Amino acid sequence: MIQLLLKVCRFIKFYFRATSVRKVHSPFVYEFLENIVLNKTPYYIFKPLDSYRKLLSLNNTVLNVEDYGAGSTYSKNTNRKVASILRHSVKPRKYAELLFRMVQEWKPTTMLELGTSLGLTSMYIAKANKEGKLISVEGSHEIATFARKGFEKFDCSNIVQIVGQFDEVLPDILTENKRIDFAFVDGNHQESATIRYFDRLVKHVNQDTVLVFDDIHWSAGMENAWEHIKNHDSVTLSIDLFEMGIVFFFKRNQKEHHLIRF
Ligand SMILES: C[S@@+](CC[C@H](N)C(=O)[O-])C[C@H]1O[C@@H](n2cnc3c(N)ncnc32)[C@H](O)[C@@H]1O
């Protein structure tokens, strides 16, 4: 309850500091907002994935959840229904579709997701660029097995699923994939862990890489981690949508940070 109240306070603070989408002057950011964020195209995969989400919301299968992350604020129970995992841990459709549009626009070749959960965002990302490869990592074995069934159902052959703890599997992933073109970090929302993942990933970025961090205002610690990320020397542009923070590395004359109400 206190966590929730603090998040509401952080949202109010964000809301008054942020600008609305239509009032941005930076040309790149304006185009990004117009073409990607506000784009209302109903891409072919949105409907089927939305129907799948609805099916999951009715699914009472109980899965064992191994908690490697910041812990759950809603339940300490290690056995949870799929419907409950969906409600509490999976990104809403709005953000999953935004991830799709980013990937569909930029066509990153090597993509990484830390935090597969039921596999919904993984499928949006993978379907947005079938020529690319998405490496998606999940620590909870039963959740990973459940997600795999979804990948098979939707024929997501470009997802390479890795079951393991982020810290344990990341070194090997980054040795095998020297360059990461897109990453969505959505698991273990702790300050030190988020900074650690960023510090590892940043050694593998190029000018076109885009890194997306989820829940950057989830806690004071996550806000500190976001400060670390956006102030890093190699980050030239950051966009804070409250629920997600997006960072870019392309060359530009001066660093810019934007807070946008989405
Ligand atoms: C917020 S959920 C991911 C939701 C998913 N991206 C979506 O929106 O469809 C985070 C997932 O990361 C996993 N996770 C958290 N910390 C982890 C860690 N340190 N190593 C491996 N998996 C972890 C959790 O088990 C959980 O399933």
Side-chain angles (χ1 to χ4, degrees), residues 53 65-71 80 85-86 88-92 96 99 113-125 136-141 143-144 162-169 184-190 193 196-197 214-215:
R53 184 186 290 270
V65 177
E66 299 152 65
D67 191 354
Y68 297 114
R80 290 187 208 143
I85 296 173
L86 177 82
H88 296 282
S89 305
V90 171
K91 286 259 68 68
L99 287 167
E113 177 179 53
L114 296 183
T116 316
S117 189
L118 304 176
L120 265 172
T121 47
S122 326
M123 293 198 275
Y124 280 88
I125 294 169
S136 186
V137 185
E138 172 56 54
S140 266
H141 289 73
I143 297 185
I162 296 189
V163 185
Q165 289 199 44
F166 301 155
D167 279 307
E168 284 173 13
V169 299
F184 178 43
V185 178
D186 184 17
N188 198 2
H189 296 323
Q190 300 185 66
R196 212 163 50 240
Y197 305 146
D214 192 57
D215 265 338

Side-chain angles (χ1 to χ4, degrees), residues 137-186:
V137 185
E138 172 56 54
S140 266
H141 289 73
E142 288 194 10
I143 297 185
T145 304
F146 188 93
R148 194 173 314 131
K149 288 181 195 146
F151 300 160
E152 283 161 13
K153 183 179 163 85
F154 282 88
D155 198 17
C156 293
S157 53
N158 60 335
I159 299 182
V160 177
Q161 197 187 25
I162 296 189
V163 185
Q165 289 199 44
F166 301 155
D167 279 307
E168 284 173 13
V169 299
L170 250 184
D172 280 352
I173 293 174
L174 296 176
T175 304
E176 278 164 34
N177 299 276
K178 297 268 178 285
R179 129 187 200 157
I180 298 293
D181 303 301
F182 182 88
F184 178 43
V185 178
D186 184 17

